Amino acid sequence: MSQKIVVTGDINGKLSEFFTKLSTLQSRQNFAFAIIAGNLFADSDSTSSEEAEDLAKLIKGDIQVPVSTYFTVGRRALPEAVVEKLNSSDGELCPNLIALGRKGRVKTSDGFKVVAVGGSHCTGDAPKDLYAAKYSDKDAHAAKGYNEADILVTSEWPAGVRDGSKAAFDASAEPPTAEAISELCTTLKPCYHFSSSDLFWEREPFFHASDPPRPITRFLSLAPFGNASKSKWIYAFSLEPSAEPPMQLPPDTTASPLLPSRKRKALDTQQDSFNTMRFSNNHDSRPRGGGGNKRRKAGPPDPGQCYFCLSNAQCESHMIGSIGTEAYLTTAKGPLPTLATFPDLGPAFPGHILIIPVAHTATLASIEDPAARASLEAEMHQYRASLHAMLAARSRADPADPASPSRLGAITWEISRSSGVHTHWQFLPVPASHISAGLVEAAFSVEAENAHYPTKFATAPADVAAAQQQGGDYFKVMMWSEDVPLGKEMVLPLDATFRFDLQFGRRVMGKLLGLGERAHWKDCGQSRAEEERECEAFKEMFAPFDFTL
Ligand SMILES: [Zn+2]
């Protein structure tokens, strides 16, 4: 059952005032427990007489703590009287007020696991004292042994946590960061990670590398109680102990920013080198790795090095859905939609497909023999039409009535660049109403404007044809839905005057479909087993429409 929890930043010795406030909140909110994520006590060098009096009262039990409250060791030392009391009372400063120590874990009476690493980071060994305001890499590494946590509280921020975030923050208020804390968060994968700072900051949620459903962490850093800039100092939320990760990523979720850079690199070279080349949409199918850039300058790769060439031993055959005479289909690596995006497609296939020429060619226009080009284009369109038929059949309002309208339409996009390596089309289902209402068309136009591209989409049929016949590079979108029988096309001419974002198609459709966090395929990595399952599900669904069978 989910419970209400409340977390605060620094209290800085305003003990009576704070616990009075907490009592008022507690009577209304009935929190399961509270956490103080920053310094509970005032700076001992500048403690006022009022604060000293409060402290004495608190230790004597004369200030009522209204709910189980855990406090961390902040970035400055605890008062001596506090340390003495904690050492003699097993960490309980007064009824309901429990110290989490420099490194520790508690399991609350409701079953929540809270892990804390407090103090400021020191190189070498930290003092042995459990309540010293110092922690070492060793402490942080040892805390990984707790394996899991619902809530992680650290006095310093995980290194890299602001990477990949759009949430504004005044960097001057950023507390110290530590790689050891990033590694700890990556190991424990808590639902919430709290810290404290002079100003409030909340990062977009991020998911950890793992098979879906992926664990998600929300990182928040709270401002001090009673701060002058009225920055948020308290945060209440509901949580279930050991909650399962959500099946769908919350809006704006990003990949974890917390992998140390050396690990990021290792991942990239081992697991992602293939994907980077094949699915970066830049038609650049060259294997990367050590000498990537050198290779790039050495001219186009031959088919033996190209991941879109079936003759290449590295071609991932487990994702091939159909092979025709001139073209073939694969399921997309890191598909934009999730398995939940299009329920009409069943529970195992997200809907994203690539239509790829068998021949190794940079663009369709660069095929010199007009007859060969025409028959290739014809087969790619035939695949497209078969996929449309599959979507229509799967999404009829009345499955028994072939005349009833289908809920799904589709778009197909092509990036045609003479500097490309092995051209392909990306095929994506989309609600048919988005096409008939002009939403898809508008989304592409608006995004091109927002990106300040100097060229505009041609949308009138004559302009579309002209834009392609000029022989230059272009980005093309083909739209289909049953109620727009001739389909719609739009073409954006590309020229050397601007840098075209190769993820443009995914970015636009990600926004439109509420999948913005999946705009880059690299954020949607899957295991080989998942890829195999999705391809098998696709083949089964496509079989009745597959003209090659
Ligand atoms: Zn090729």
Side-chain angles (χ1 to χ4, degrees):
M1 210 184 101
S2 78
Q3 306 273 348
K4 273 194 196 168
I5 299 162
V6 67
V7 183
T8 77
D10 293 332
I11 304 303
N12 286 332
K14 298 188 183 75
L15 301 169
S16 299
E17 203 184 333
F18 168 68
F19 285 112
T20 304
K21 176 85 186 167
L22 187 58
S23 297
T24 312
L25 292 172
Q26 178 63 13
S27 62
R28 295 200 298 253
Q29 304 279 344
N30 195 26
F31 299 118
F33 59 95
I35 294 174
I36 294 159
N39 296 300
L40 175 56
F41 304 102
D43 188 341
S44 49
D45 294 336
S46 59
T47 306
S48 68
S49 56
E50 200 184 330
E51 286 163 352
E53 214 173 287
D54 263 11
L55 176 58
K57 274 162 73 180
L58 183 72
I59 293 176
K60 266 173 68 187
D62 289 347
I63 292 178
Q64 203 214 339
V65 177
V67 56
S68 293
T69 302
Y70 300 93
F71 70 99
T72 57
V73 175
R75 289 198 294 278
R76 65 169 172 255
L78 298 175
E80 263 172 50
V82 168
V83 176
E84 262 170 43
K85 177 72 192 281
L86 293 175
N87 281 329
S88 66
S89 64
D90 209 17
E92 192 180 50
L93 188 63
C94 64
N96 267 350
L97 186 58
I98 303 117
L100 286 166
R102 190 181 74 213
K103 169 190 75 85
R105 176 176 65 166
V106 292
K107 193 167 176 187
T108 70
S109 53
D110 301 290
F112 290 97
K113 293 176 192 125
V114 181
V115 169
V117 172
S120 54
H121 183 260
C122 63
T123 47
D125 286 343
K128 292 267 183 289
D129 184 349
L130 182 55
Y131 302 108
K134 296 256 184 250
Y135 75 95
S136 63
D137 282 351
K138 258 192 206 165
D139 292 320
H141 290 321
K144 289 196 228 168
Y146 298 132
N147 289 322
E148 52 176 0
D150 297 301
I151 300 170
L152 172 64
V153 189
T154 60
S155 50
E156 299 193 334
W157 282 17
V161 70
R162 288 175 58 217
D163 293 355
S165 168
K166 293 196 184 84
F169 188 67
D170 180 349
S172 64
E174 183 177 302
T177 66
E179 289 254 332
I181 299 296
S182 303
E183 290 175 25
L184 178 62
C185 179
T186 301
T187 302
L188 300 179
K189 302 177 178 55
C191 293
Y192 285 89
H193 182 168
F194 289 100
S195 188
S196 61
S197 44
D198 290 341
L199 294 170
F200 173 77
W201 188 64
E202 176 175 10
R203 196 197 185 282
E204 299 90 340
F206 55 88
F207 65 81
H208 297 274
S210 125
D211 289 344
R214 298 187 178 88
I216 288 172
T217 294
R218 293 170 190 273
F219 177 83
L220 296 100
S221 188
L222 293 152
F225 172 55
N227 68 86
S229 43
K230 302 234 182 315
S231 189
K232 190 170 182 163
W233 64 274
I234 189 165
Y235 182 82
F237 60 104
S238 292
L239 188 67
E240 214 175 296
S242 308
E244 290 293 320
M247 290 308 289
Q248 258 189 305
L249 296 179
D252 299 327
T253 302
T254 74
S256 172
L258 300 185
L259 282 178
S261 50
R262 58 178 191 282
K263 280 197 190 155
R264 265 184 225 144
K265 263 190 207 128
L267 270 182
D268 201 35
T269 49
Q270 287 161 23
Q271 189 177 329
D272 283 352
S273 57
F274 167 84
N275 308 350
T276 303
M277 299 325 300
R278 183 170 183 184
F279 295 96
S280 56
N281 299 356
N282 63 359
H283 305 215
D284 187 345
S285 318
R286 277 161 278 199
R288 213 166 50 158
N293 285 336
K294 272 186 217 134
R295 221 183 255 273
R296 193 160 299 197
K297 286 189 193 111
D302 61 53
Q305 295 172 308
C306 169
Y307 288 114
F308 280 144
C309 279
L310 293 169
S311 56
N312 179 7
Q314 287 163 299
C315 177
E316 282 200 312
S317 54
H318 71 286
M319 298 179 78
I320 295 174
S322 170
I323 303 182
T325 316
E326 309 275 347
Y328 70 102
L329 300 187
T330 70
T331 46
K333 193 119 191 154
L336 177 67
T338 70
L339 292 175
T341 306
F342 300 115
D344 285 327
L345 299 181
F349 169 56
H352 197 161
I353 290 287
L354 271 59
I355 306 174
I356 307 169
V358 171
H360 180 75
T361 182
T363 65
L364 296 176
S366 63
I367 298 172
E368 276 168 27
D369 175 359
R373 185 168 71 229
S375 73
L376 167 60
E377 288 188 33
E379 195 173 285
M380 290 177 82
H381 280 292
Q382 193 178 1
Y383 265 132
R384 227 182 119 224
S386 303
L387 290 165
H388 292 158
M390 176 187 84
L391 293 184
R394 294 286 305 196
S395 67
R396 296 232 172 271
D398 176 1
D401 175 10
S404 69
S406 60
R407 283 181 288 263
L408 290 179
I411 72 159
T412 305
W413 73 82
E414 173 187 354
I415 305 175
S416 183
R417 301 204 312 168
S418 51
S419 60
V421 173
H422 194 143
T423 192
H424 57 276
W425 290 355
Q426 297 214 26
F427 176 92
L428 193 70
V430 60
S433 56
H434 282 25
I435 291 180
S436 48
L439 295 181
V440 172
E441 196 177 330
F444 276 101
S445 297
V446 166
E447 192 66 25
E449 266 180 50
N450 287 347
H452 302 293
Y453 288 156
T455 55
K456 281 201 163 27
F457 271 104
T459 52
D463 298 342
V464 165
Q468 287 174 86
Q469 276 158 13
Q470 285 153 9
D473 296 346
Y474 61 84
F475 174 81
K476 178 180 180 181
V477 186
M478 295 170 268
M479 289 162 260
W480 167 85
S481 72
E482 279 188 326
D483 48 0
V484 186
L486 293 176
K488 278 188 207 169
E489 292 186 357
M490 58 198 298
V491 168
L492 180 74
L494 308 180
D495 62 36
T497 62
F498 70 106
R499 218 180 112 87
F500 177 69
D501 174 10
L502 298 163
Q503 302 291 324
F504 182 72
R506 279 187 78 118
R507 193 150 53 86
V508 172
M509 293 311 293
K511 273 191 191 171
L512 189 62
L513 297 173
L515 298 163
E517 78 281 1
R518 298 177 64 86
H520 203 294
W521 69 266
K522 276 186 120 182
D523 293 333
C524 312
Q526 294 175 298
S527 68
R528 189 181 167 99
E530 285 173 287
E531 290 171 349
E532 277 169 4
R533 265 200 306 279
E534 290 186 357
C535 189
E536 285 311 309
F538 165 67
K539 280 197 270 194
E540 197 184 320
M541 193 180 303
F542 188 57
F545 308 92
D546 188 348
F547 56 88
T548 69
L549 296 178

